[in-house]
Amino acid sequence: MFAGYTHPEAVIRCQNGVAEVFGTVSTAHLQLCPQHHGPLTPDVCEELQHRWPGTQFRLHANVRVGKNHPRYDASTPWAESEGYFREMVDRHRRLKAPAYTVHAGSRAQASLHDMADNVRRIEDIFGSPVGIEGMYYTRDNGWLVSDWEEYSWLLTSGLNYAIDLSHLNIVARRTRRIEHD
């Protein structure tokens, strides 16, 4: 929500009240996303903590932490992504975040087993739960955790996960089936 706004600007808009079908969205817990303008620097983390001490912030996959904006996910080889995730840990700790979510990633870069190993490494350096966010089905089947069978695998894997309902809606529409289990 509020793509293109800085992190503080997005929080201000949330604090002003966001109405959904089910009522006003709570600002007790907010997720910071890569769609927000500008990097999440240590100074921005300090500002968020100072201005909104009653809000619990959590980082979402690919939040910008520097000038460059690499797209690292759970499929990216650890040797390539470790530096980014270590920098992300700094922001995570500054915000006293309870958890982190990471996209499952690309089938071209990793198997489900490799992705799970990477998530465990990420969780080790974060020192908190790291949830895998599944993706959605495409013609080339390029994403990991992108069909009902892989979502089922994730649910029984023992790994933490985050469910993006819009991704599951895409899976249902593209596979033309709904798995209620």
Side-chain angles (χ1 to χ4, degrees), residues 2-19:
F2 304 118
Y5 290 95
T6 67
H7 295 284
E9 289 169 344
V11 174
I12 288 168
R13 280 158 180 75
C14 287
Q15 294 286 338
N16 288 338
V18 177

Side-chain angles (χ1 to χ4, degrees), residues 40-120:
L40 183 64
T41 64
D43 289 343
V44 171
C45 291
E46 185 177 315
E47 178 184 357
L48 294 171
Q49 289 290 88
H50 176 75
R51 290 178 72 180
W52 297 285
T55 299
Q56 177 69 73
F57 294 100
R58 182 173 60 81
L59 305 176
H60 183 58
N62 295 316
V63 170
R64 299 170 194 186
V65 293
K67 289 182 181 180
N68 296 326
H69 185 52
R71 298 276 177 177
Y72 294 129
D73 54 43
S75 71
T76 308
W78 187 242
E80 184 181 332
S81 63
E82 180 181 4
Y84 169 78
F85 285 114
R86 289 197 182 278
E87 192 167 4
M88 188 70 78
V89 166
D90 173 74
R91 305 317 188 271
H92 177 81
R93 290 184 178 153
R94 288 174 186 273
L95 293 169
K96 300 176 184 80
Y100 174 68
T101 53
V102 63
H103 292 141
S106 167
R107 193 174 309 285
Q109 288 191 301
S111 66
L112 286 172
H113 176 76
D114 295 334
M115 177 207 61
D117 285 347
N118 283 340
V119 169
R120 289 182 190 101

Side-chain angles (χ1 to χ4, degrees), residues 112-133:
L112 286 172
H113 176 76
D114 295 334
M115 177 207 61
D117 285 347
N118 283 340
V119 169
R120 289 182 190 101
R121 286 183 187 106
I122 296 166
E123 209 164 44
D124 284 346
I125 66 169
F126 270 74
S128 68
V130 172
I132 300 170
E133 180 180 324

